[in-house]
Amino acid sequence: MFLLTTRDSFPIGDNATDTIISNVHFNVSTLRFWNYTYYPTNGTLSNESWCMLMNPPYTPKGILTNGTFLNSTWCYLATDPIGDRARAGVGFAVLFALCLVFVLVNLKKHGELHLPAEKRFYAIGRRWQWYWAIFVCAAALIGLFTGIDVDRYHVVELPIILNNFFWYLMQMGIMALVWEGVRHWGSWMERQFIDPNPFVLHQNDKRGMFEFWLPLFFYLMLWLNFFLIVPRNWGAIELQRSPSQTVENAIPAATDGRFKAATFCLFVCWCTTMVSLWHSIRHYEPRNRGFFNRIIGFLGYMPFRFVLMLPLALAVVAYQGLSAWEWHLSPLNAKTNLLAMYLGGYAPTLLIIIIHIIAGFMRPNEDRELIRQRRARGQAIDQDLGIVRKPAWWRRVNGDLPAGNMRDRIMRNVREVGGGRATAQQIERLTSRRAAEAEAEAANRNTAIEMNELRRTTSLRSNARESAPAPPPYTPYRGKSDQRRSERTMQAAASLLFPGASPGASTDRGRALEIESEPTRRPGTSERSSSTASGLSTSGPPQQIKSMLDI
């Protein structure tokens, strides 16, 4: 116990100008000249500009006349060993770090797309809950590791502010995580509900507008919670260096009306989450009649993870309100009740994260689940219609496959059309090639056999006799009229597709009336028809019957 004089509050030394602090002599006149005051409660010497530790082994060796201490130690340094608050904080930090790894794994699993993106259901909607989980883990890690210096700082300073700042951010993030989990579950139920028929629910009806405005209201309340807590003068919380400072400055600042109003906003967020859950069950699950049946149905349709997460989220709100009224239980207190702080402030958040991770591992990716449901619906419809779908290996086993793979077939089609768009040059080249093939085939054909093969060729003279001359090659149009060039190109394309058809109207403009006025007559047995609709060439000789099988 120090003996203090009533004049200058320094311990009594050898004489009137001497004081002894931790067995070291100091000049009282010099200390008074530089306006130093000794605080025996925390063992510091301060003049409101400089603060020195006076407890061993950090006691200065002396002071010079200019106010300089010899071998002094600044008050606001981490000089003390870690305490129970830091040890418990490190343990929780390790758990949050492990949770962060599993959250990233779940984000990869549930954030992947296996179906085309839909405008009605954005991919980021299913990822927001995992983004908030990452935010919560990061805020918890920063706050818990800064909490180590709360114990190590001999004088309360910035670490306790950082510790509580990130603790409040963690509280907001965990409420947003629970909200996004409930909201997205309702969105997933809606997606499954409308997948068989996208028009069964309208987006602009009363239900859709309620789902549009409810998230805005939730985040408005969450923003008010942030606005009431974060933008403030945190310096008053640091003034816990003596009992008088704590009573006069720290306690009023930690239990003011803004902290209490912020708790009310957080409770409104929790109630909004419950309303969203009720809304989703009401619209996307079968309805029950009667008050008690509806309560039983509400609890029955609710996913089991929400049965655990929602009470824990309410515990988060309750502890934040408790810390706004009770100073000795508040995390803002440097000497708070650690059991209440970690059980009420960190344990519910950690349990919510763990439950969310386990549920994420148990649930499949939504796109994959939707694909499975569509396949199941298709099989049920096929069964009702009596359609039996053969497995994929059925055609391979029975040899019911075209030659080559899909790549070969595509390349064959590309080579057929020349690999470019259907221009006049491509059509001319294809016409010439097919005419040459027809001529070569006619030259190699043996007409001396009585019962020769009768088949249709791919040339322009498919129904002509073998001995008839080949048609003249296609002559491209060399004029300057684009319309005439287009007509000639269309005519050539039509002759390729329909070799035996009559010429187009564009080439027979002058003879149209003459052909229409020509009387039609039935040809004889060995006589050729003069009709232009006949597939036989009008320039070839009449057909000679060599056998009764030709009739």
Side-chain angles (χ1 to χ4, degrees):
M1 179 177 180
F2 293 97
L3 297 177
L4 305 179
T5 61
T6 58
R7 183 177 70 250
D8 47 20
S9 299
F10 287 104
I12 299 174
D14 295 340
N15 51 48
T17 60
D18 181 69
T19 182
I20 301 175
I21 302 176
S22 299
N23 297 324
V24 179
H25 294 268
F26 295 93
N27 190 290
V28 176
S29 301
T30 304
L31 295 176
R32 285 191 348 209
F33 178 79
W34 294 104
N35 198 27
Y36 278 102
T37 303
Y38 179 65
Y39 297 95
T41 55
N42 57 11
T44 60
L45 191 68
S46 174
N47 64 352
E48 297 184 0
S49 296
W50 295 91
C51 181
M52 308 299 169
L53 292 177
M54 305 304 291
N55 292 334
Y58 306 106
T59 307
K61 303 305 179 184
I63 185 172
L64 303 179
T65 56
N66 60 359
T68 303
F69 285 90
L70 301 177
N71 196 17
S72 62
T73 304
W74 182 248
C75 289
Y76 306 109
L77 294 176
T79 57
D80 294 349
I82 63 173
D84 295 336
R85 181 169 185 156
R87 294 188 183 94
V90 170
F92 272 90
V94 171
L95 295 177
F96 275 106
L98 293 176
C99 289
L100 179 60
V101 176
F102 294 117
V103 165
L104 294 176
V105 174
N106 274 283
L107 176 61
K108 174 68 168 56
K109 174 184 177 181
H110 294 279
E112 284 184 337
L113 293 179
H114 300 278
L115 290 174
E118 302 179 30
K119 187 177 180 181
R120 190 168 182 176
F121 303 99
Y122 292 98
I124 197 173
R126 72 177 82 166
R127 300 171 185 164
W128 265 120
Q129 51 188 328
W130 304 109
Y131 291 155
W132 279 116
I134 294 173
F135 175 82
V136 169
C137 292
L141 286 172
I142 297 174
L144 290 169
F145 280 120
T146 57
I148 297 175
D149 285 339
V150 175
D151 284 346
R152 299 197 64 208
Y153 269 59
H154 187 74
V155 177
V156 179
E157 218 246 351
L158 183 61
I160 195 170
I161 303 300
L162 295 176
N163 177 255
N164 285 276
F165 176 79
F166 286 101
W167 179 76
Y168 279 109
L169 291 182
M170 183 191 69
Q171 301 268 291
M172 302 173 197
I174 199 62
M175 293 301 298
L177 185 151
V178 176
W179 157 258
E180 285 296 335
V182 172
R183 182 207 60 80
H184 176 66
W185 178 76
S187 177
W188 167 235
M189 298 300 294
E190 178 187 4
R191 188 180 181 187
Q192 296 178 93
F193 190 83
I194 69 171
D195 188 63
N197 182 11
F199 305 101
V200 69
L201 293 177
H202 299 283
Q203 293 182 267
N204 297 327
D205 57 356
K206 184 178 179 181
R207 175 202 56 82
M209 297 309 297
F210 183 82
E211 293 177 357
F212 173 79
W213 289 107
L214 194 63
L216 299 180
F217 178 76
F218 174 86
Y219 283 107
L220 173 64
M221 292 292 105
L222 195 67
W223 178 83
L224 287 177
N225 180 268
F226 174 85
F227 179 77
L228 291 171
I229 290 177
V230 174
R232 64 171 56 245
N233 180 17
W234 290 91
I237 306 298
E238 299 179 3
L239 301 179
Q240 306 178 38
R241 297 154 189 167
S242 65
S244 60
Q245 274 190 343
T246 304
V247 173
E248 294 174 2
N249 300 283
I251 294 178
T255 58
D256 62 357
R258 293 181 60 184
F259 279 112
K260 298 173 182 177
T263 302
F264 172 76
C265 294
L266 205 64
F267 179 71
V268 174
C269 291
W270 184 85
C271 294
T272 307
T273 305
M274 294 297 297
V275 171
S276 177
L277 181 62
W278 166 80
H279 172 82
S280 300
I281 293 176
R282 177 173 178 266
H283 286 278
Y284 308 124
E285 295 289 354
R287 298 185 181 182
N288 296 324
R289 295 181 177 274
F291 179 76
F292 292 102
N293 290 334
R294 289 182 179 180
I295 294 177
I296 296 174
F298 178 82
L299 297 176
Y301 295 133
M302 184 192 307
F304 182 69
R305 65 181 186 274
F306 294 153
V307 177
L308 302 176
M309 292 170 61
L310 289 171
L312 291 173
L314 185 61
V316 170
V317 179
Y319 180 74
Q320 188 177 122
L322 185 64
S323 63
W325 268 271
E326 297 294 335
W327 165 253
H328 69 282
L329 299 177
S330 173
L332 295 172
N333 185 1
K335 299 178 181 179
T336 186
N337 188 327
L338 297 180
L339 183 63
M341 172 184 168
Y342 283 106
L343 287 182
Y346 288 95
T349 301
L350 181 62
L351 291 176
I352 291 175
I353 294 288
I354 293 174
I355 294 170
H356 200 62
I357 290 172
I358 295 175
F361 281 122
M362 295 176 63
R363 289 181 288 118
N365 180 279
E366 294 178 4
D367 286 354
R368 293 182 181 275
E369 176 64 18
L370 210 59
I371 293 172
R372 187 196 64 79
Q373 293 180 10
R374 291 174 180 177
R375 186 182 299 113
R377 285 199 304 269
Q379 293 175 356
I381 294 174
D382 292 343
Q383 187 177 4
D384 293 341
L385 297 177
I387 300 175
V388 179
R389 299 286 182 182
K390 296 181 175 62
W393 51 265
W394 183 268
R395 298 181 64 187
R396 292 194 298 269
V397 171
N398 292 272
D400 191 13
L401 285 176
N405 54 17
M406 180 60 69
R407 180 182 179 87
D408 296 336
R409 281 178 278 171
I410 294 176
M411 293 303 298
R412 190 184 305 115
N413 295 337
V414 171
R415 287 193 299 269
E416 178 72 18
V417 300
R421 62 189 183 91
T423 59
Q425 184 178 3
Q426 297 287 349
I427 295 177
E428 293 168 6
R429 186 181 299 111
L430 184 61
T431 305
S432 302
R433 185 171 69 248
R434 291 192 175 183
E437 293 175 356
E439 292 176 2
E441 185 178 357
N444 297 330
R445 184 175 301 167
N446 186 8
T447 59
I449 301 177
E450 182 182 39
M451 297 178 62
N452 58 335
E453 181 183 2
L454 299 177
R455 62 186 179 88
R456 179 171 180 170
T457 64
T458 58
S459 64
L460 296 175
R461 56 191 195 102
S462 59
N463 294 329
R465 283 186 57 83
E466 292 79 354
S467 60
Y474 172 71
T475 303
Y477 177 69
R478 304 297 183 183
K480 297 183 179 180
S481 174
D482 294 337
Q483 181 178 3
R484 181 58 179 162
R485 182 180 295 106
S486 176
E487 292 176 356
R488 292 292 297 274
T489 304
M490 294 295 295
Q491 178 185 356
S495 65
L496 292 176
L497 297 176
F498 309 101
S502 62
S506 60
T507 59
D508 297 334
R509 294 174 184 174
R511 298 187 300 167
L513 297 178
E514 180 182 354
I515 294 175
E516 290 177 1
S517 61
E518 181 180 355
T520 60
R521 57 190 179 91
R522 183 179 181 87
T525 304
S526 60
E527 188 178 3
R528 293 182 290 107
S529 173
S530 60
S531 173
T532 58
S534 174
L536 298 177
S537 174
T538 58
S539 60
Q543 182 180 6
Q544 300 295 329
I545 299 176
K546 294 182 292 183
S547 172
M548 291 301 294
L549 297 176
D550 293 338
I551 300 177

